[in-house]
Amino acid sequence: MSPFGFIRRNKKSPATGEELVLSVEGMHCAGCGLLIDDELEELPGVRSSRTDVRGGRTVVRLDDGVAAMDAAVLGAAVRSAGDYTARLAD
């Protein structure tokens, strides 16, 4: 069980790659977070995504050997999940 109170399925093996933190706006419930995580985890080079709806943040862990990912690509994936906006967190 995740710290957010729902069970997450792991699509890939445990994470060890680089992390990127996104600030996400427009989320209202745990379902929003799941939709965003599912979209981000479909991107090549993304090992996992964990969204904290209350905190408005998503932690994206990249596959081993992937040092960076274009913020526009991440933002497009978040937008494709619904009426959400995302940017790299400060």
Side-chain angles (χ1 to χ4, degrees):
M1 180 158 305
S2 80
F4 309 115
F6 51 86
I7 297 172
R8 286 287 301 157
R9 64 188 182 281
N10 288 326
K11 291 185 177 180
K12 298 181 182 178
S13 61
T16 58
E18 297 290 322
E19 280 187 355
L20 300 173
V21 179
L22 303 176
S23 177
V24 182
E25 295 181 4
M27 298 182 292
H28 304 286
C29 65
C32 295
L34 289 172
L35 290 170
I36 290 168
D37 289 339
D38 285 346
E39 287 296 324
L40 288 168
E41 289 175 351
E42 292 298 319
L43 293 175
V46 172
R47 179 175 298 270
S48 66
S49 172
R50 298 294 175 260
T51 298
D52 173 3
V53 175
R54 288 185 183 180
R57 297 169 77 81
T58 297
V59 177
V60 178
R61 190 172 296 270
L62 304 178
D63 284 333
D64 293 339
V66 177
M69 184 164 284
D70 187 347
V73 171
L74 295 170
V78 170
R79 280 190 306 280
S80 71
D83 192 23
Y84 314 111
T85 59
R87 62 177 174 76
L88 289 176
D90 299 326

